[in-house]
Amino acid sequence: MPTPETELTHKNEYQLVVAVVLSAQCTDKRVNIITPPFFEKFSNFESLARATHEEVFELIKSCSYPNNKTKNLIKLAQTVCNEYDGVLPQTRDELEKLPGVGRKTANVVAAVAFNEPRFAVDTHVFRVANRLGIVNAKNPLETEKQLLQLFPEKVIPDAHHWLLLHGRYCCTARSPKCDACGISEICESFGKK
């Protein structure tokens, strides 16, 4: 998979950060259903910063934790407008200062929007990296640190998606498709049950 991409539909940095915030404990498929009408109503940080709780909640209520995400999205937009002149910050440290943006979200946005060498570790990446045996980590932060040492900087944004998509479609949690896996020869778990 030479050029893997996020499955979150977005056209710009604003749409990406909103979609990634919405994707926490929610499927990309659900987020991609929610975001078209959301972006039609709130097309940028400025319009979202002026939104009411009720307006945002009504559009995102089918995702997980809609009340918290509503509060965070409005505060995020207000922060970007008030503290960053309406421009999404590019560094992970600055992104993490935004409401609703933790390390994983900041890493995704930095890697996808700004091609920064950041490794976002979600449940798929954590599982696959440990299952393959390329890391031996007990938590996402350990996994991230070990993965950053393994990959050349220029491929890190892609490597995150390689592992994520492999975990989502091949190396699934309950029933990994080992017979269809193209990298089973390097997998420490292959053949072990």
Side-chain angles (χ1 to χ4, degrees), residues 37-71:
F38 184 93
F39 295 143
E40 189 173 316
K41 183 161 180 98
F42 305 111
S43 60
N44 54 38
F45 289 115
E46 292 79 14
S47 59
L48 181 55
R50 295 188 303 269
T52 66
H53 184 91
E54 294 74 24
E55 290 173 314
V56 173
F57 182 86
E58 189 59 33
L59 290 168
I60 70 166
K61 65 185 177 186
S62 66
C63 76
S64 56
Y65 308 106
N67 200 41
N68 278 346
K69 289 178 183 179
T70 295
K71 290 177 198 172

PDB file of all heavy atoms in Angstrom, residues 37-71:
ATOM      1  N   PRO A  37     -23.370  17.101   6.493  1.00  0.00           N
ATOM      2  CA  PRO A  37     -24.291  18.173   6.921  1.00  0.00           C
ATOM      3  C   PRO A  37     -23.656  19.113   7.953  1.00  0.00           C
ATOM      4  O   PRO A  37     -23.971  20.308   7.984  1.00  0.00           O
ATOM      5  CB  PRO A  37     -25.491  17.426   7.519  1.00  0.00           C
ATOM      6  CG  PRO A  37     -25.057  16.019   7.721  1.00  0.00           C
ATOM      7  CD  PRO A  37     -23.888  15.778   6.825  1.00  0.00           C
ATOM      8  N   PHE A  38     -22.738  18.584   8.752  1.00  0.00           N
ATOM      9  CA  PHE A  38     -22.040  19.422   9.728  1.00  0.00           C
ATOM     10  C   PHE A  38     -21.233  20.503   9.007  1.00  0.00           C
ATOM     11  O   PHE A  38     -21.305  21.680   9.344  1.00  0.00           O
ATOM     12  CB  PHE A  38     -21.127  18.559  10.606  1.00  0.00           C
ATOM     13  CG  PHE A  38     -20.448  19.327  11.709  1.00  0.00           C
ATOM     14  CD1 PHE A  38     -21.022  19.390  12.968  1.00  0.00           C
ATOM     15  CD2 PHE A  38     -19.250  19.987  11.495  1.00  0.00           C
ATOM     16  CE1 PHE A  38     -20.413  20.101  13.998  1.00  0.00           C
ATOM     17  CE2 PHE A  38     -18.625  20.702  12.505  1.00  0.00           C
ATOM     18  CZ  PHE A  38     -19.212  20.764  13.763  1.00  0.00           C
ATOM     19  N   PHE A  39     -20.454  20.095   7.999  1.00  0.00           N
ATOM     20  CA  PHE A  39     -19.609  21.054   7.276  1.00  0.00           C
ATOM     21  C   PHE A  39     -20.431  21.992   6.396  1.00  0.00           C
ATOM     22  O   PHE A  39     -19.987  23.090   6.085  1.00  0.00           O
ATOM     23  CB  PHE A  39     -18.541  20.338   6.458  1.00  0.00           C
ATOM     24  CG  PHE A  39     -17.547  19.586   7.299  1.00  0.00           C
ATOM     25  CD1 PHE A  39     -17.044  18.360   6.882  1.00  0.00           C
ATOM     26  CD2 PHE A  39     -17.103  20.093   8.511  1.00  0.00           C
ATOM     27  CE1 PHE A  39     -16.125  17.669   7.645  1.00  0.00           C
ATOM     28  CE2 PHE A  39     -16.181  19.407   9.296  1.00  0.00           C
ATOM     29  CZ  PHE A  39     -15.687  18.191   8.861  1.00  0.00           C
ATOM     30  N   GLU A  40     -21.608  21.560   6.008  1.00  0.00           N
ATOM     31  CA  GLU A  40     -22.483  22.458   5.251  1.00  0.00           C
ATOM     32  C   GLU A  40     -22.950  23.613   6.139  1.00  0.00           C
ATOM     33  O   GLU A  40     -22.990  24.765   5.718  1.00  0.00           O
ATOM     34  CB  GLU A  40     -23.690  21.683   4.705  1.00  0.00           C
ATOM     35  CG  GLU A  40     -24.522  22.467   3.733  1.00  0.00           C
ATOM     36  CD  GLU A  40     -25.601  21.605   3.097  1.00  0.00           C
ATOM     37  OE1 GLU A  40     -25.301  20.457   2.703  1.00  0.00           O
ATOM     38  OE2 GLU A  40     -26.736  22.099   3.001  1.00  0.00           O
ATOM     39  N   LYS A  41     -23.252  23.287   7.391  1.00  0.00           N
ATOM     40  CA  LYS A  41     -23.725  24.314   8.335  1.00  0.00           C
ATOM     41  C   LYS A  41     -22.562  25.106   8.937  1.00  0.00           C
ATOM     42  O   LYS A  41     -22.653  26.315   9.126  1.00  0.00           O
ATOM     43  CB  LYS A  41     -24.559  23.680   9.438  1.00  0.00           C
ATOM     44  CG  LYS A  41     -25.138  24.697  10.404  1.00  0.00           C
ATOM     45  CD  LYS A  41     -26.288  24.127  11.182  1.00  0.00           C
ATOM     46  CE  LYS A  41     -26.851  25.148  12.140  1.00  0.00           C
ATOM     47  NZ  LYS A  41     -28.013  25.837  11.640  1.00  0.00           N
ATOM     48  N   PHE A  42     -21.468  24.408   9.275  1.00  0.00           N
ATOM     49  CA  PHE A  42     -20.304  25.041   9.902  1.00  0.00           C
ATOM     50  C   PHE A  42     -19.090  24.788   8.999  1.00  0.00           C
ATOM     51  O   PHE A  42     -18.439  23.759   9.110  1.00  0.00           O
ATOM     52  CB  PHE A  42     -20.061  24.492  11.304  1.00  0.00           C
ATOM     53  CG  PHE A  42     -21.271  24.598  12.194  1.00  0.00           C
ATOM     54  CD1 PHE A  42     -21.954  23.466  12.593  1.00  0.00           C
ATOM     55  CD2 PHE A  42     -21.732  25.843  12.607  1.00  0.00           C
ATOM     56  CE1 PHE A  42     -23.082  23.564  13.402  1.00  0.00           C
ATOM     57  CE2 PHE A  42     -22.854  25.958  13.406  1.00  0.00           C
ATOM     58  CZ  PHE A  42     -23.536  24.807  13.811  1.00  0.00           C
ATOM     59  N   SER A  43     -18.829  25.725   8.111  1.00  0.00           N
ATOM     60  CA  SER A  43     -17.827  25.505   7.064  1.00  0.00           C
ATOM     61  C   SER A  43     -16.406  25.869   7.474  1.00  0.00           C
ATOM     62  O   SER A  43     -15.467  25.588   6.733  1.00  0.00           O
ATOM     63  CB  SER A  43     -18.208  26.284   5.807  1.00  0.00           C
ATOM     64  OG  SER A  43     -18.267  27.670   6.117  1.00  0.00           O
ATOM     65  N   ASN A  44     -16.252  26.496   8.644  1.00  0.00           N
ATOM     66  CA  ASN A  44     -14.918  26.905   9.075  1.00  0.00           C
ATOM     67  C   ASN A  44     -14.909  27.136  10.586  1.00  0.00           C
ATOM     68  O   ASN A  44     -15.947  27.052  11.244  1.00  0.00           O
ATOM     69  CB  ASN A  44     -14.469  28.156   8.319  1.00  0.00           C
ATOM     70  CG  ASN A  44     -15.478  29.282   8.421  1.00  0.00           C
ATOM     71  OD1 ASN A  44     -16.099  29.505   9.452  1.00  0.00           O
ATOM     72  ND2 ASN A  44     -15.661  30.001   7.318  1.00  0.00           N
ATOM     73  N   PHE A  45     -13.728  27.444  11.114  1.00  0.00           N
ATOM     74  CA  PHE A  45     -13.609  27.672  12.554  1.00  0.00           C
ATOM     75  C   PHE A  45     -14.488  28.823  13.025  1.00  0.00           C
ATOM     76  O   PHE A  45     -15.092  28.758  14.102  1.00  0.00           O
ATOM     77  CB  PHE A  45     -12.147  27.947  12.943  1.00  0.00           C
ATOM     78  CG  PHE A  45     -11.251  26.748  12.852  1.00  0.00           C
ATOM     79  CD1 PHE A  45     -10.213  26.722  11.934  1.00  0.00           C
ATOM     80  CD2 PHE A  45     -11.438  25.649  13.676  1.00  0.00           C
ATOM     81  CE1 PHE A  45      -9.375  25.619  11.848  1.00  0.00           C
ATOM     82  CE2 PHE A  45     -10.612  24.540  13.596  1.00  0.00           C
ATOM     83  CZ  PHE A  45      -9.572  24.524  12.671  1.00  0.00           C
ATOM     84  N   GLU A  46     -14.583  29.876  12.218  1.00  0.00           N
ATOM     85  CA  GLU A  46     -15.343  31.054  12.613  1.00  0.00           C
ATOM     86  C   GLU A  46     -16.827  30.727  12.798  1.00  0.00           C
ATOM     87  O   GLU A  46     -17.439  31.134  13.794  1.00  0.00           O
ATOM     88  CB  GLU A  46     -15.168  32.180  11.579  1.00  0.00           C
ATOM     89  CG  GLU A  46     -13.776  32.758  11.538  1.00  0.00           C
ATOM     90  CD  GLU A  46     -12.752  31.911  10.764  1.00  0.00           C
ATOM     91  OE1 GLU A  46     -13.154  30.978  10.021  1.00  0.00           O
ATOM     92  OE2 GLU A  46     -11.546  32.154  10.920  1.00  0.00           O
ATOM     93  N   SER A  47     -17.402  30.000  11.859  1.00  0.00           N
ATOM     94  CA  SER A  47     -18.830  29.675  11.982  1.00  0.00           C
ATOM     95  C   SER A  47     -19.067  28.705  13.139  1.00  0.00           C
ATOM     96  O   SER A  47     -20.057  28.837  13.866  1.00  0.00           O
ATOM     97  CB  SER A  47     -19.380  29.112  10.668  1.00  0.00           C
ATOM     98  OG  SER A  47     -18.696  27.938  10.272  1.00  0.00           O
ATOM     99  N   LEU A  48     -18.153  27.778  13.347  1.00  0.00           N
ATOM    100  CA  LEU A  48     -18.299  26.837  14.470  1.00  0.00           C
ATOM    101  C   LEU A  48     -18.114  27.556  15.805  1.00  0.00           C
ATOM    102  O   LEU A  48     -18.797  27.240  16.774  1.00  0.00           O
ATOM    103  CB  LEU A  48     -17.300  25.681  14.325  1.00  0.00           C
ATOM    104  CG  LEU A  48     -17.336  24.594  15.392  1.00  0.00           C
ATOM    105  CD1 LEU A  48     -18.732  23.983  15.560  1.00  0.00           C
ATOM    106  CD2 LEU A  48     -16.325  23.501  15.056  1.00  0.00           C
ATOM    107  N   ALA A  49     -17.249  28.535  15.858  1.00  0.00           N
ATOM    108  CA  ALA A  49     -17.012  29.285  17.101  1.00  0.00           C
ATOM    109  C   ALA A  49     -18.265  30.049  17.535  1.00  0.00           C
ATOM    110  O   ALA A  49     -18.459  30.300  18.724  1.00  0.00           O
ATOM    111  CB  ALA A  49     -15.844  30.255  16.908  1.00  0.00           C
ATOM    112  N   ARG A  50     -19.126  30.398  16.589  1.00  0.00           N
ATOM    113  CA  ARG A  50     -20.365  31.129  16.900  1.00  0.00           C
ATOM    114  C   ARG A  50     -21.561  30.198  17.127  1.00  0.00           C
ATOM    115  O   ARG A  50     -22.664  30.655  17.434  1.00  0.00           O
ATOM    116  CB  ARG A  50     -20.692  32.099  15.763  1.00  0.00           C
ATOM    117  CG  ARG A  50     -19.687  33.220  15.586  1.00  0.00           C
ATOM    118  CD  ARG A  50     -20.171  34.252  14.566  1.00  0.00           C
ATOM    119  NE  ARG A  50     -20.470  33.678  13.264  1.00  0.00           N
ATOM    120  CZ  ARG A  50     -19.598  33.575  12.267  1.00  0.00           C
ATOM    121  NH1 ARG A  50     -18.356  33.985  12.422  1.00  0.00           N
ATOM    122  NH2 ARG A  50     -19.965  33.056  11.107  1.00  0.00           N
ATOM    123  N   ALA A  51     -21.362  28.899  16.977  1.00  0.00           N
ATOM    124  CA  ALA A  51     -22.471  27.935  17.068  1.00  0.00           C
ATOM    125  C   ALA A  51     -22.980  27.805  18.495  1.00  0.00           C
ATOM    126  O   ALA A  51     -22.243  28.010  19.460  1.00  0.00           O
ATOM    127  CB  ALA A  51     -22.009  26.571  16.556  1.00  0.00           C
ATOM    128  N   THR A  52     -24.234  27.419  18.603  1.00  0.00           N
ATOM    129  CA  THR A  52     -24.790  27.106  19.925  1.00  0.00           C
ATOM    130  C   THR A  52     -24.603  25.614  20.192  1.00  0.00           C
ATOM    131  O   THR A  52     -24.425  24.815  19.256  1.00  0.00           O
ATOM    132  CB  THR A  52     -26.296  27.423  20.003  1.00  0.00           C
ATOM    133  OG1 THR A  52     -27.002  26.528  19.119  1.00  0.00           O
ATOM    134  CG2 THR A  52     -26.586  28.876  19.647  1.00  0.00           C
ATOM    135  N   HIS A  53     -24.647  25.274  21.449  1.00  0.00           N
ATOM    136  CA  HIS A  53     -24.540  23.869  21.843  1.00  0.00           C
ATOM    137  C   HIS A  53     -25.617  23.041  21.135  1.00  0.00           C
ATOM    138  O   HIS A  53     -25.339  21.952  20.621  1.00  0.00           O
ATOM    139  CB  HIS A  53     -24.672  23.744  23.370  1.00  0.00           C
ATOM    140  CG  HIS A  53     -24.481  22.353  23.868  1.00  0.00           C
ATOM    141  ND1 HIS A  53     -23.251  21.862  24.253  1.00  0.00           N
ATOM    142  CD2 HIS A  53     -25.355  21.326  24.039  1.00  0.00           C
ATOM    143  CE1 HIS A  53     -23.380  20.609  24.637  1.00  0.00           C
ATOM    144  NE2 HIS A  53     -24.644  20.259  24.521  1.00  0.00           N
ATOM    145  N   GLU A  54     -26.827  23.544  21.112  1.00  0.00           N
ATOM    146  CA  GLU A  54     -27.950  22.807  20.526  1.00  0.00           C
ATOM    147  C   GLU A  54     -27.745  22.556  19.030  1.00  0.00           C
ATOM    148  O   GLU A  54     -28.053  21.463  18.538  1.00  0.00           O
ATOM    149  CB  GLU A  54     -29.268  23.567  20.758  1.00  0.00           C
ATOM    150  CG  GLU A  54     -29.692  23.665  22.206  1.00  0.00           C
ATOM    151  CD  GLU A  54     -28.872  24.664  23.043  1.00  0.00           C
ATOM    152  OE1 GLU A  54     -28.277  25.620  22.470  1.00  0.00           O
ATOM    153  OE2 GLU A  54     -28.797  24.454  24.270  1.00  0.00           O
ATOM    154  N   GLU A  55     -27.245  23.554  18.320  1.00  0.00           N
ATOM    155  CA  GLU A  55     -27.020  23.398  16.880  1.00  0.00           C
ATOM    156  C   GLU A  55     -26.006  22.297  16.582  1.00  0.00           C
ATOM    157  O   GLU A  55     -26.226  21.459  15.707  1.00  0.00           O
ATOM    158  CB  GLU A  55     -26.498  24.704  16.273  1.00  0.00           C
ATOM    159  CG  GLU A  55     -27.503  25.826  16.209  1.00  0.00           C
ATOM    160  CD  GLU A  55     -26.854  27.120  15.750  1.00  0.00           C
ATOM    161  OE1 GLU A  55     -25.768  27.480  16.252  1.00  0.00           O
ATOM    162  OE2 GLU A  55     -27.450  27.767  14.867  1.00  0.00           O
ATOM    163  N   VAL A  56     -24.906  22.303  17.319  1.00  0.00           N
ATOM    164  CA  VAL A  56     -23.856  21.299  17.090  1.00  0.00           C
ATOM    165  C   VAL A  56     -24.336  19.933  17.550  1.00  0.00           C
ATOM    166  O   VAL A  56     -24.204  18.941  16.823  1.00  0.00           O
ATOM    167  CB  VAL A  56     -22.543  21.705  17.796  1.00  0.00           C
ATOM    168  CG1 VAL A  56     -21.511  20.582  17.698  1.00  0.00           C
ATOM    169  CG2 VAL A  56     -21.990  22.991  17.195  1.00  0.00           C
ATOM    170  N   PHE A  57     -24.906  19.867  18.738  1.00  0.00           N
ATOM    171  CA  PHE A  57     -25.359  18.591  19.283  1.00  0.00           C
ATOM    172  C   PHE A  57     -26.336  17.901  18.330  1.00  0.00           C
ATOM    173  O   PHE A  57     -26.236  16.688  18.104  1.00  0.00           O
ATOM    174  CB  PHE A  57     -26.017  18.791  20.656  1.00  0.00           C
ATOM    175  CG  PHE A  57     -26.457  17.512  21.299  1.00  0.00           C
ATOM    176  CD1 PHE A  57     -25.577  16.771  22.067  1.00  0.00           C
ATOM    177  CD2 PHE A  57     -27.749  17.033  21.121  1.00  0.00           C
ATOM    178  CE1 PHE A  57     -25.970  15.573  22.651  1.00  0.00           C
ATOM    179  CE2 PHE A  57     -28.152  15.830  21.699  1.00  0.00           C
ATOM    180  CZ  PHE A  57     -27.261  15.103  22.467  1.00  0.00           C
ATOM    181  N   GLU A  58     -27.251  18.648  17.774  1.00  0.00           N
ATOM    182  CA  GLU A  58     -28.256  18.078  16.867  1.00  0.00           C
ATOM    183  C   GLU A  58     -27.605  17.385  15.672  1.00  0.00           C
ATOM    184  O   GLU A  58     -28.071  16.345  15.214  1.00  0.00           O
ATOM    185  CB  GLU A  58     -29.214  19.176  16.386  1.00  0.00           C
ATOM    186  CG  GLU A  58     -30.402  18.666  15.613  1.00  0.00           C
ATOM    187  CD  GLU A  58     -31.287  17.693  16.389  1.00  0.00           C
ATOM    188  OE1 GLU A  58     -31.420  17.814  17.622  1.00  0.00           O
ATOM    189  OE2 GLU A  58     -31.848  16.769  15.746  1.00  0.00           O
ATOM    190  N   LEU A  59     -26.494  17.921  15.193  1.00  0.00           N
ATOM    191  CA  LEU A  59     -25.818  17.355  14.026  1.00  0.00           C
ATOM    192  C   LEU A  59     -24.909  16.169  14.359  1.00  0.00           C
ATOM    193  O   LEU A  59     -24.624  15.353  13.486  1.00  0.00           O
ATOM    194  CB  LEU A  59     -24.998  18.442  13.325  1.00  0.00           C
ATOM    195  CG  LEU A  59     -25.807  19.520  12.622  1.00  0.00           C
ATOM    196  CD1 LEU A  59     -24.926  20.688  12.226  1.00  0.00           C
ATOM    197  CD2 LEU A  59     -26.526  18.946  11.409  1.00  0.00           C
ATOM    198  N   ILE A  60     -24.442  16.071  15.602  1.00  0.00           N
ATOM    199  CA  ILE A  60     -23.490  15.002  15.928  1.00  0.00           C
ATOM    200  C   ILE A  60     -24.032  14.000  16.944  1.00  0.00           C
ATOM    201  O   ILE A  60     -23.301  13.130  17.401  1.00  0.00           O
ATOM    202  CB  ILE A  60     -22.143  15.581  16.438  1.00  0.00           C
ATOM    203  CG1 ILE A  60     -22.284  16.212  17.818  1.00  0.00           C
ATOM    204  CG2 ILE A  60     -21.558  16.556  15.428  1.00  0.00           C
ATOM    205  CD1 ILE A  60     -20.955  16.490  18.500  1.00  0.00           C
ATOM    206  N   LYS A  61     -25.309  14.082  17.266  1.00  0.00           N
ATOM    207  CA  LYS A  61     -25.865  13.252  18.337  1.00  0.00           C
ATOM    208  C   LYS A  61     -25.774  11.745  18.075  1.00  0.00           C
ATOM    209  O   LYS A  61     -25.846  10.956  19.005  1.00  0.00           O
ATOM    210  CB  LYS A  61     -27.304  13.653  18.643  1.00  0.00           C
ATOM    211  CG  LYS A  61     -28.284  13.416  17.518  1.00  0.00           C
ATOM    212  CD  LYS A  61     -29.650  13.946  17.875  1.00  0.00           C
ATOM    213  CE  LYS A  61     -30.615  13.765  16.726  1.00  0.00           C
ATOM    214  NZ  LYS A  61     -31.907  14.396  17.007  1.00  0.00           N
ATOM    215  N   SER A  62     -25.563  11.339  16.833  1.00  0.00           N
ATOM    216  CA  SER A  62     -25.475   9.901  16.551  1.00  0.00           C
ATOM    217  C   SER A  62     -24.066   9.342  16.779  1.00  0.00           C
ATOM    218  O   SER A  62     -23.849   8.136  16.647  1.00  0.00           O
ATOM    219  CB  SER A  62     -25.927   9.598  15.123  1.00  0.00           C
ATOM    220  OG  SER A  62     -25.039  10.170  14.183  1.00  0.00           O
ATOM    221  N   CYS A  63     -23.111  10.184  17.123  1.00  0.00           N
ATOM    222  CA  CYS A  63     -21.769   9.665  17.428  1.00  0.00           C
ATOM    223  C   CYS A  63     -21.652   9.443  18.936  1.00  0.00           C
ATOM    224  O   CYS A  63     -22.519   9.851  19.716  1.00  0.00           O
ATOM    225  CB  CYS A  63     -20.674  10.616  16.930  1.00  0.00           C
ATOM    226  SG  CYS A  63     -20.419  12.074  17.934  1.00  0.00           S
ATOM    227  N   SER A  64     -20.597   8.805  19.351  1.00  0.00           N
ATOM    228  CA  SER A  64     -20.382   8.557  20.769  1.00  0.00           C
ATOM    229  C   SER A  64     -20.033   9.861  21.480  1.00  0.00           C
ATOM    230  O   SER A  64     -19.394  10.741  20.906  1.00  0.00           O
ATOM    231  CB  SER A  64     -19.259   7.537  20.940  1.00  0.00           C
ATOM    232  OG  SER A  64     -18.102   8.000  20.282  1.00  0.00           O
ATOM    233  N   TYR A  65     -20.475   9.983  22.722  1.00  0.00           N
ATOM    234  CA  TYR A  65     -20.194  11.146  23.578  1.00  0.00           C
ATOM    235  C   TYR A  65     -20.501  12.482  22.908  1.00  0.00           C
ATOM    236  O   TYR A  65     -19.674  13.396  22.906  1.00  0.00           O
ATOM    237  CB  TYR A  65     -18.735  11.109  24.057  1.00  0.00           C
ATOM    238  CG  TYR A  65     -18.364   9.797  24.690  1.00  0.00           C
ATOM    239  CD1 TYR A  65     -17.552   8.892  24.023  1.00  0.00           C
ATOM    240  CD2 TYR A  65     -18.860   9.450  25.946  1.00  0.00           C
ATOM    241  CE1 TYR A  65     -17.224   7.665  24.587  1.00  0.00           C
ATOM    242  CE2 TYR A  65     -18.540   8.227  26.527  1.00  0.00           C
ATOM    243  CZ  TYR A  65     -17.720   7.340  25.846  1.00  0.00           C
ATOM    244  OH  TYR A  65     -17.402   6.133  26.416  1.00  0.00           O
ATOM    245  N   PRO A  66     -21.704  12.631  22.351  1.00  0.00           N
ATOM    246  CA  PRO A  66     -21.998  13.862  21.613  1.00  0.00           C
ATOM    247  C   PRO A  66     -21.995  15.124  22.480  1.00  0.00           C
ATOM    248  O   PRO A  66     -21.650  16.203  21.993  1.00  0.00           O
ATOM    249  CB  PRO A  66     -23.385  13.600  21.014  1.00  0.00           C
ATOM    250  CG  PRO A  66     -23.995  12.579  21.922  1.00  0.00           C
ATOM    251  CD  PRO A  66     -22.845  11.726  22.378  1.00  0.00           C
ATOM    252  N   ASN A  67     -22.355  15.006  23.741  1.00  0.00           N
ATOM    253  CA  ASN A  67     -22.386  16.190  24.604  1.00  0.00           C
ATOM    254  C   ASN A  67     -20.981  16.748  24.812  1.00  0.00           C
ATOM    255  O   ASN A  67     -20.739  17.942  24.633  1.00  0.00           O
ATOM    256  CB  ASN A  67     -23.048  15.847  25.939  1.00  0.00           C
ATOM    257  CG  ASN A  67     -23.548  17.066  26.651  1.00  0.00           C
ATOM    258  OD1 ASN A  67     -24.108  17.975  26.039  1.00  0.00           O
ATOM    259  ND2 ASN A  67     -23.341  17.120  27.951  1.00  0.00           N
ATOM    260  N   ASN A  68     -20.038  15.877  25.183  1.00  0.00           N
ATOM    261  CA  ASN A  68     -18.650  16.316  25.376  1.00  0.00           C
ATOM    262  C   ASN A  68     -18.035  16.802  24.070  1.00  0.00           C
ATOM    263  O   ASN A  68     -17.308  17.803  24.054  1.00  0.00           O
ATOM    264  CB  ASN A  68     -17.792  15.184  25.938  1.00  0.00           C
ATOM    265  CG  ASN A  68     -17.926  15.048  27.427  1.00  0.00           C
ATOM    266  OD1 ASN A  68     -18.445  15.928  28.094  1.00  0.00           O
ATOM    267  ND2 ASN A  68     -17.458  13.938  27.953  1.00  0.00           N
ATOM    268  N   LYS A  69     -18.294  16.092  22.995  1.00  0.00           N
ATOM    269  CA  LYS A  69     -17.723  16.487  21.707  1.00  0.00           C
ATOM    270  C   LYS A  69     -18.282  17.829  21.244  1.00  0.00           C
ATOM    271  O   LYS A  69     -17.557  18.642  20.663  1.00  0.00           O
ATOM    272  CB  LYS A  69     -17.941  15.396  20.660  1.00  0.00           C
ATOM    273  CG  LYS A  69     -17.081  14.163  20.924  1.00  0.00           C
ATOM    274  CD  LYS A  69     -17.323  13.059  19.926  1.00  0.00           C
ATOM    275  CE  LYS A  69     -16.499  11.823  20.271  1.00  0.00           C
ATOM    276  NZ  LYS A  69     -16.724  10.716  19.339  1.00  0.00           N
ATOM    277  N   THR A  70     -19.547  18.074  21.533  1.00  0.00           N
ATOM    278  CA  THR A  70     -20.143  19.369  21.196  1.00  0.00           C
ATOM    279  C   THR A  70     -19.411  20.489  21.916  1.00  0.00           C
ATOM    280  O   THR A  70     -18.992  21.477  21.301  1.00  0.00           O
ATOM    281  CB  THR A  70     -21.650  19.385  21.559  1.00  0.00           C
ATOM    282  OG1 THR A  70     -22.331  18.447  20.741  1.00  0.00           O
ATOM    283  CG2 THR A  70     -22.249  20.771  21.368  1.00  0.00           C
ATOM    284  N   LYS A  71     -19.257  20.344  23.225  1.00  0.00           N
ATOM    285  CA  LYS A  71     -18.550  21.367  24.017  1.00  0.00           C
ATOM    286  C   LYS A  71     -17.135  21.568  23.493  1.00  0.00           C
ATOM    287  O   LYS A  71     -16.677  22.702  23.317  1.00  0.00           O
ATOM    288  CB  LYS A  71     -18.492  20.945  25.493  1.00  0.00           C
ATOM    289  CG  LYS A  71     -19.808  20.977  26.208  1.00  0.00           C
ATOM    290  CD  LYS A  71     -19.623  20.475  27.650  1.00  0.00           C
ATOM    291  CE  LYS A  71     -20.944  20.078  28.253  1.00  0.00           C
ATOM    292  NZ  LYS A  71     -20.793  19.418  29.550  1.00  0.00           N
TER     293      LYS A  71
END
